[in-house]
Structures are given as structure tokens and as C-alpha cells.
């Protein structure tokens, strides 16, 4: 009966994590999946989260189903983080937000919504993008295309090509954008470039879908949301998927949100209803534990401030690792340019290594990065950075 079922080749990122876990090499280094490890190589539990967890645990409360859209405080937390506390669109009721099962859940609910209500629309993703973007939209029967983004030869963005491409798209085509910390390249648009992109989107009546999974890891909480807030200022309809996996270090709790900015409060109410309908038929309602943590941390001023500080400490450690890696590599291979390492933002560096070089790092040195050459810089620390740099220099020289 199941003989005709295709084998699943596995996910390039999650599969790598499994391979890494099974590796017995005591010197192995995990630079694959986008997870922040601290200076000791440990996945941190943020102090603000510990406080929130203590409040949740005392007294231990019953666990009813949450509403389809999740806890009101979770949704408010998403909205204020993305659009700014006191934003006029929030006061005017123009944003439909549902809490979701991580950023992936937000993308899935959004993709289903697009499929149902904009069946003619295609979705365009950056070339390259996070592999699951393509899988999620195609899995919802939305046709996916790629727009020019990364210039491998020059480690830069193909900005003019990208704009020219957007100008060829049809009304209501969806453009999936990364407001900060582009995954996998780490190369972000400048604010002036965002302005140009959004003007083209407006002129051609395209639908921007912004996926923000690393807010706070680029410049700061507000600057990282520049594209989102500029789109709002320009009066654009907008989808935003956000994730708390990285910036609350709550990967396994699967907490995120999907927000849709609408022109009127009536439209926002209709969209909100349909988002609920999508959620009901995919997973009914989100889990409560992570939602309560988000609610507590985002809505308690002191905890929120502490949280922002903790995110910035993670951001700064990654930046320090970028500087160190660049200087070690420059010393080892003086005729090669490694400026790209510090021009990139967020957790990832697109190293430009060939798949063969990535494979050698894994088999000879126990260093794991994604085969497209993406390195998670947040896996580096002062104990492993020299051996990683040495190994990279070795495979780059040969
Ligand atoms: C990544 O890009 O490594 C993360 O977003 C984790 C994932 O689910 O792929």
C-alpha cells in the first residue's frame, strides 16, 4: 500500500543537526542550524525567560485550549515589537495578528491565506533564501519563483537586477522579503534601498510578505524593523511573519506570529476571522506555555528591558566572532578578501565555500555548515574559532 510513497531525502538543515549529534568527534563544531550558542557553546536560557517561567510555575495553572489566535498578550507583544509601541495602525485596529507555531507556522498560515484569497498570485523569494520558504509556499499550492538577490562573485546584492525584476511582476504577486539578517546570506538592504523596493511594490501593487526571524540581531530592535514600519508609513498592505525562537532562545516552544496590515479596520476584522479559520483547520489553536512566556516578557516593562539587553549581548558576541574570524583568516590567507564576514548581519555568514570544501570541513575536521556554504557564526566561540579558521584556511588554500 505504501510502496509508492517517495523516500524523503531529509531537510538540509535539520538533517545536518542530526548528523552532527551522531558524530563522535570530540572537536566537532556545529555551524549549521541557526541557533545561538553562548561563549561556552551552550544554548542559553535567557534570564527574563527564567523569571517568566517561575511566574508560570507558581501556582501551576490549568491548561485550557487557547483561542485560535492565541493569547491576547502574545499578539500584542508581536504587534508592538514589529510596529512600535503606540503605533497609530494599532490604535486604529488595522492589524490582524494571530499567534502561531513559530515563524514556520506563521508562514504556513500566511501561505494558506494567500492560496485561498489570492489564488492567481505567485510568490517570489530571494535567490537564495531559507529552503523552507519555498517548501511551505509550494506545500500550500502557491507557485514559487525566485528574484535575483545575491551576487556570489562579489559577495554583494544584485540590487538593480532585483528592482528590474520586481517591475516585471503582476499585480498582487507576493514578494517574500527578509527585513533584517537575511537567511542565508547575511546581506541586508540599506534603508535607502528598502525605500526603493517599497516604492516599486507600491507602484506595481505587489504584496510584501516580510519574514522577520532575527529581530534584534542586526542593528537593534527598531532599526531591524525599518522595512516593516516604512511599508506601514507608505500605507502598503503587508504580511509579517515573526519568530521568537532566536531572540527569546525558545526554539522548542515554537512561538511566533502572523500579522496582516490592512487599509481599514473592517478589512482587518475580516482578515482576522479568516486567519482564525486557517488556524482552526491546520492545528486548531497554538500551545500555551511559550505563549505565556512571550506574554509575560513582552508586556512587563522591566522584563522587556532586560530581554532587549540580553538580545543585544547575543548580537554583540556574534559581531565579535565575525571580527575575530575575519582577522584570523586574513592573517592566514593575506591575498584573499574576507570583508564580507563583517558586512553581513545576524547569525549567518555566506562563506562562498564550494560544496566540496564544506564536505571536507565536515569529514576531516568535524565542522558542520550548510552545503550552500552558510555558516552560523553564533556557533563560534573563543575556544573553537582558531581551529575553525585554520580548517577553513586549509580547505580554501588547496
Ligand atoms: C535555520 O535557518 O537554520 C533556522 O531557521 C532553523 C530552521 O528551521 O531551518
Amino acid at each position: 500500500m505504501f510502496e509508492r510513497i517517495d523516500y524523503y531525502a531529509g531537510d538540509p538543515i535539520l538533517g545536518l543537526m542530526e548528523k552532527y549529534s551522531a558524530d563522535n568527534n570530540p572537536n566537532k563544531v556545529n555551524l549549521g542550524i541557526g541557533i545561538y550558542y553562548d561563549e561556552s557553546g551552550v544554548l542559553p536560557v535567557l534570564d527574563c525567560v527564567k523569571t517568566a517561567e517561575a511566574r508560570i510555575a507558581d501556582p501551576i495553572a490549568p491548561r485550557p485550549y487557547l483561542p485560535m489566535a492565541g493569547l491576547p498578550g502574545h499578539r500584542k507583544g508581536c504587534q508592538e515589537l514589529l510596529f512600535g509601541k503606540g503605533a497609530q495602525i494599532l490604535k486604529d485596529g488595522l492589524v490582524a495578528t494571530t499567534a502561531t507555531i513559530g515563524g514556520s507556522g506563521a508562514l504556513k498560515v500566511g501561505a494558506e491565506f494567500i492560496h485561498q484569497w489570492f489564488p492567481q498570485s505567485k510568490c517570489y523569494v530571494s535567490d537564495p533564501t531559507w529552503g523552507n520558504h519555498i517548501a511551505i509556499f509550494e506545500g500550500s499550492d502557491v507557485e514559487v519563483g525566485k528574484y535575483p538577490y545575491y551576487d556570489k562573485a562579489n559577495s554583494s546584492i544584485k540590487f538593480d537586477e532585483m528592482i528590474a525584476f520586481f517591475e516585471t511582476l503582476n499585480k498582487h504577486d507576493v514578494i517574500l522579503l527578509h527585513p533584517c539578517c537575511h537567511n542565508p546570506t547575511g546581506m541586508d538592504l540599506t534603508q535607502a534601498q528598502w525605500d526603493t523596493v517599497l516604492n516599486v511594490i507600491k507602484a506595481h501593487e505587489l504584496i510584501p510578505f516580510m519574514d522577520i526571524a532575527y529581530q534584534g540581531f542586526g542593528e537593534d530592535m527598531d532599526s531591524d524593523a525599518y522595512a516593516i514600519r516604512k511599508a506601514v508609513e507608505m500605507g502598503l498592505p503587508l504580511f509579517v511573519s515573526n519568530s521568537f525562537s532566536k531572540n527569546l532562545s525558545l526554539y522548542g516552544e515554537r512561538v511566533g506570529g502572523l500579522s496582516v496590515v490592512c487599509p481599514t479596520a473592517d478589512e482587518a476584522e475580516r482578515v482576522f476571522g479568516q486567519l482564525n479559520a486557517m488556524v482552526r483547520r491546520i492545528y486548531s489553536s497554538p500551545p500555551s506555555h511559550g505563549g505565556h512566556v512571550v506574554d509575560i516578557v513582552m508586556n512587563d516593562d522591566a522584563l522587556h528591558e532586560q530581554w532587549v539587553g540580553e538580545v543585544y549581548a547575543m548580537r554583540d558576541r556574534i559581531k565579535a566572532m565575525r571580527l575575530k574570524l575575519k582577522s584570523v583568516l586574513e592573517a592566514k590567507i593575506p591575498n584573499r578578501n574576507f570583508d564580507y564576514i563583517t558586512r553581513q548581519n545576524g547569525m549567518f555568514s555566506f562563506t562562498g565555500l564550494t560544496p566540496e570544501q564544506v564536505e571536507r570541513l565536515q569529514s576531516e575536521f568535524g565542522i558542520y555548515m550548510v552545503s550552500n556554504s552558510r555558516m552560523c557564526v553564533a556557533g563560534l566561540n573563543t575556544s573553537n574559532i582558531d581551529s575553525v579558521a585554520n580548517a577553513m584556511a586549509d580547505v580554501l588554500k588547496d
Side-chain angles (χ1 to χ4, degrees):
M1 168 177 191
F2 299 122
E3 279 166 350
R4 62 186 179 82
I5 306 293
D6 289 340
Y7 283 101
Y8 175 45
D11 182 81
I13 297 175
L14 301 184
L16 195 65
M17 183 80 188
E18 285 166 23
K19 207 167 170 199
Y20 170 83
S21 302
D23 189 341
N24 293 323
N25 182 343
N27 300 318
K28 66 184 177 178
V29 183
N30 185 6
L31 307 178
I33 194 160
I35 289 183
Y36 176 89
Y37 294 101
D38 68 13
E39 174 53 28
S40 326
V42 172
L43 182 62
V45 181
L46 302 190
D47 287 334
C48 58
V49 170
K50 285 182 194 156
T51 306
E53 301 266 5
R55 283 190 205 166
I56 294 166
D58 185 20
I60 292 179
R63 309 290 151 97
Y65 290 126
L66 295 192
M68 292 173 276
L71 292 168
H74 179 162
R75 295 165 45 221
K76 176 169 168 274
C78 290
Q79 291 182 337
E80 292 185 344
L81 188 60
L82 298 171
F83 305 107
K85 215 172 176 164
Q88 193 58 42
I89 50 163
L90 300 181
K91 291 184 190 150
D92 294 344
L94 303 186
V95 188
T97 298
T98 184
T100 57
I101 302 186
S104 299
L107 286 158
K108 176 66 182 169
V109 173
E112 287 290 314
F113 184 94
I114 299 286
H115 175 64
Q116 179 166 349
W117 296 101
F118 296 86
Q120 308 302 331
S121 298
K122 290 187 188 171
C123 175
Y124 290 88
V125 300
S126 61
D127 183 16
T129 192
W130 182 52
N132 218 18
H133 281 153
I134 299 170
I136 288 174
F137 276 86
E138 285 186 342
S140 291
D141 284 332
V142 177
E143 198 179 321
V144 176
K146 291 183 180 170
Y147 60 83
Y149 189 76
Y150 188 67
D151 179 350
K152 238 180 175 170
N154 300 303
S155 308
S156 61
I157 295 174
K158 294 176 175 173
F159 187 69
D160 294 340
E161 259 184 74
M162 177 174 80
I163 293 296
F165 183 85
F166 288 163
E167 280 173 341
T168 67
L169 300 183
N170 295 320
K171 180 176 167 177
H172 290 172
D173 276 343
V174 176
I175 304 185
L176 192 71
L177 298 154
H178 307 217
C180 67
C181 308
H182 185 270
N183 181 2
T185 69
M187 290 297 295
D188 290 331
L189 300 181
T190 63
Q191 294 192 350
Q193 287 175 324
W194 275 119
D195 294 352
T196 308
V197 166
L198 295 170
N199 277 319
V200 175
I201 286 176
K202 187 168 188 166
H204 292 266
E205 295 180 68
L206 306 172
I207 302 176
F209 195 131
M210 302 206 188
D211 183 27
I212 182 159
Y214 298 87
Q215 191 170 353
F217 283 91
E219 275 183 62
D220 56 60
M221 292 294 172
D222 293 324
S223 311
D224 289 356
Y226 175 81
I228 294 169
R229 296 183 192 176
K230 184 70 189 182
V232 168
E233 189 188 307
M234 289 169 63
L236 296 176
L238 171 68
F239 287 70
V240 187
S241 49
N242 76 290
S243 168
F244 290 107
S245 296
K246 333 280 174 173
N247 56 18
L248 268 172
S249 192
L250 276 183
Y251 304 86
E253 293 297 349
R254 314 305 299 130
V255 265
L258 176 68
S259 298
V260 186
V261 180
C262 305
T264 64
D266 173 61
E267 287 162 278
E269 202 180 318
R270 289 164 192 267
V271 169
F272 184 63
Q274 289 302 326
L275 294 181
N276 281 333
M278 301 289 159
V279 166
R280 177 64 171 149
R281 66 178 184 237
I282 306 176
Y283 55 84
S284 208
S285 61
S288 66
H289 183 81
H292 281 292
V293 176
V294 169
D295 181 0
I296 292 170
V297 175
M298 293 298 133
N299 295 304
D300 176 308
D301 287 347
L303 279 184
H304 189 276
E305 197 184 321
Q306 182 181 26
W307 169 64
V308 171
E310 294 190 272
V311 177
Y312 291 171
M314 294 194 276
R315 172 201 66 190
D316 292 347
R317 200 189 76 74
I318 297 173
K319 283 186 190 288
M321 287 299 110
R322 286 187 184 278
L323 280 170
K324 179 90 197 294
L325 182 66
K326 177 171 175 269
S327 74
V328 182
L329 285 170
E330 278 169 350
K332 288 188 186 303
I333 318 181
N335 55 351
R336 207 180 162 109
N337 190 330
F338 292 103
D339 286 352
Y340 69 86
I341 297 175
T342 47
R343 267 193 282 124
Q344 297 163 341
N345 285 315
M347 282 198 190
F348 302 122
S349 176
F350 216 48
T351 61
L353 264 59
T354 63
E356 294 72 31
Q357 289 167 333
V358 171
E359 168 54 32
R360 271 195 64 200
L361 282 180
Q362 195 183 118
S363 55
E364 289 178 34
F365 303 94
I367 296 168
Y368 288 71
M369 55 176 83
V370 183
S371 61
N372 66 5
S373 92
R374 189 192 82 173
M375 170 204 287
C376 179
V377 186
L380 292 173
N381 55 51
T382 41
S383 311
N384 66 24
I385 197 162
D386 285 312
S387 56
V388 169
N390 282 333
M392 279 180 73
D394 258 29
V395 301
L396 280 166
K397 272 184 192 159
D398 289 351

